[in-house]
Amino acid sequence: FNDDIQGTGCVTLAGVLASARHAGLRLRDMSFLCAGAGSAGLGVCLQLVDGMVEDGLSREEAMKRFVICTSVGAIGRADGTHGDPNASRGLSEERAIWVNESVPDGASLEETTKLFKPTCLLGLAAQPGGLFTEDMVKSMLDYTNAPIVMPMSNPTAKHECTPRQAWEWTDGKAIVATGSPLDPPPGNG
């Protein structure tokens, strides 16, 4: 048992299921953009794929509902748009299965959000905070009434955004779950 993989994955799946229910979605209808391609990020995504299979999708169809971003951008089709940074440095077996043909390899988080239209942002990058921008989160309102935003990197200085930010950027429509104790958003957050 690896806590970073199965532990975080199980807790995230539970949080996503509760968030989906609150948003009026089924897990099988969701799409995910994951910032972070380490053991936690990939492990969480595998747990979510298992949940989607339980909800009626094939494993192949479920995996198409994910885009994983490394430190150099989306793991996507190698078409030269962004120089194919993931493909050119070689993908490990664990990462190669996540190539998503709907986005170009190396696309930024913001570009990927606009192209892929995820209903849920997963933050597991453990990079300096602020990876989820106001433009990213706001743009989700173009196709979903309740964006699900899960900034889960630790420590809190590495959170992709704060609950307050996600809440304010969406006029209180975002559903937010974090991996750390943070101040709740104002009002009914």
Side-chain angles (χ1 to χ4, degrees):
F1 179 81
N2 182 317
D3 184 53
D4 270 353
I5 299 171
Q6 291 95 350
T8 303
C10 291
V11 170
T12 302
L13 176 58
V16 167
L17 288 170
S19 298
R21 186 172 36 252
H22 185 72
L25 298 170
R26 289 189 62 178
L27 182 60
R28 65 188 279 153
D29 299 323
M30 295 180 68
S31 55
F32 298 87
L33 171 54
C34 180
S39 62
L42 299 180
V44 163
C45 292
L46 285 171
Q47 291 283 310
L48 291 167
V49 165
D50 288 345
M52 295 174 101
V53 169
E54 282 291 315
D55 200 24
L57 292 181
S58 69
R59 182 160 297 279
E60 180 181 332
E61 187 58 39
M63 291 187 74
K64 287 180 183 177
R65 295 178 186 248
F66 289 81
V67 173
I68 312 291
C69 284
T70 69
S71 61
V72 294
I75 300 174
R77 69 178 176 276
D79 64 5
T81 302
H82 299 288
D84 304 330
N86 290 299
S88 64
R89 69 180 182 184
L91 291 170
S92 66
E93 185 177 324
E94 293 81 17
R95 289 182 178 183
I97 62 172
W98 295 103
V99 172
N100 188 306
E101 295 291 330
S102 70
V103 296
D105 190 63
S108 69
L109 285 167
E110 287 193 4
E111 180 182 1
T112 302
T113 302
K114 290 177 179 151
L115 292 172
F116 185 65
K117 298 182 178 12
T119 54
C120 181
L121 298 177
L122 299 169
L124 295 146
Q127 297 297 311
L131 289 179
F132 294 166
T133 66
E134 182 174 1
D135 285 344
M136 279 176 67
V137 176
K138 272 187 172 179
S139 73
M140 294 174 75
L141 291 170
D142 292 342
Y143 53 85
T144 186
N145 293 326
I148 299 170
V149 182
M150 301 181 81
M152 298 183 290
S153 291
N154 284 308
T156 55
K158 294 186 176 189
H159 266 49
E160 291 73 17
C161 70
T162 66
R164 179 178 296 273
Q165 287 172 319
W167 186 263
E168 288 175 353
W169 295 339
T170 61
D171 295 321
K173 295 176 183 159
I175 299 169
V176 185
T178 70
S180 299
L182 292 167
D183 292 332
N188 294 322

